[in-house]
Amino acid sequence: MTDRAATRTAERAHDYWDSRHREHDDLTSGGHIGLDHAGNEIFYARRLGTLLTLIGDLASQRAPLFVLDAGCGKGHFARALARCGHRVDAFDVSEEAVTHARADGGGPRYAVSSLADWRSPWPYDVVLCVDVLFHVLDDTEWSAGLRNLASLVRLTGRLIVTDEDGGERSPRGDYIVHRPTAAYRAELEPLGLRHTLFEPYDFRENEVGFHVFTRTR
């Protein structure tokens, strides 16, 4: 894809997500567009339950976990993790989503940014990116975003991203492309992150799950 085509694709994606966050409710806008509100309530609860198992639902007041929610949408997971005592930074490329998240408050610090552009003065114990990367269609943009997120993980910290656990690249619709697990490992293992777990959502027909990468060096 040429730079100009990639720019047009990114612009269309920004417009799509701003429109989706503006027109749909808190859960549907960042959840499963094919589910009703009740279905998305369950979908969020299932994912949050697994996240709390992976990250921990309690944090020491003396040593809280520093968590980054990359592509936070309207902040559902970021607020939940903040309620558990974690210190949470959160960002999204959609200004509509971030404006909504800031209005809801709840503890996280919010910003507008792309995956590749986020910078932090400190590393994180956990960098989280839920249902975002498979919406990035351009492989160069996907790689840049993934590698930047990896750079933000401290030693022994974890990068948690979501995608299917497949062996082939699988485009679906206008804004989804699932990449094989091997593609994630090829990007992250040279950077010192080892694939340590895949935990599926196990929700209806959804084949996506949490890929956990741990920084070992």
Side-chain angles (χ1 to χ4, degrees), residues 1-13 138 140-141:
M1 182 179 292
T2 66
D3 290 344
R4 182 175 297 179
T7 298
R8 287 199 300 268
T9 298
E11 290 174 349
R12 287 197 299 270
D138 180 67
T140 300
E141 182 184 354

Side-chain angles (χ1 to χ4, degrees), residues 45-66:
R46 291 292 293 270
R47 289 181 295 169
L48 179 58
T50 302
L51 272 178
L52 293 181
T53 299
L54 294 173
I55 297 173
D57 59 356
L58 295 173
S60 167
Q61 292 183 352
R62 294 184 178 180
L65 292 179
F66 284 79

Side-chain angles (χ1 to χ4, degrees), residues 50-127:
T50 302
L51 272 178
L52 293 181
T53 299
L54 294 173
I55 297 173
D57 59 356
L58 295 173
S60 167
Q61 292 183 352
R62 294 184 178 180
L65 292 179
F66 284 79
V67 179
L68 174 65
D69 185 356
C72 64
K74 292 179 178 175
H76 184 91
F77 295 128
R79 286 189 296 274
L81 293 170
R83 287 195 298 270
C84 291
H86 303 305
R87 294 186 181 178
V88 183
D89 288 340
F91 70 84
D92 198 276
V93 74
S94 168
E95 292 187 13
E96 286 281 345
V98 171
T99 297
H100 187 103
R102 284 173 174 160
D104 281 348
R109 294 170 292 190
Y110 293 105
V112 176
S113 178
S114 69
L115 298 179
D117 291 334
W118 177 258
R119 299 293 183 268
S120 172
W122 49 74
Y124 295 96
D125 298 290
V126 178
V127 174

Side-chain angles (χ1 to χ4, degrees), residues 196-216:
T196 51
L197 180 68
F198 174 73
E199 188 67 35
Y201 290 167
D202 196 24
F203 177 75
R204 300 186 183 180
E205 77 288 351
N206 200 309
E207 297 182 19
V208 175
F210 295 97
H211 289 276
V212 180
F213 290 85
T214 304
R215 179 171 292 286
T216 58

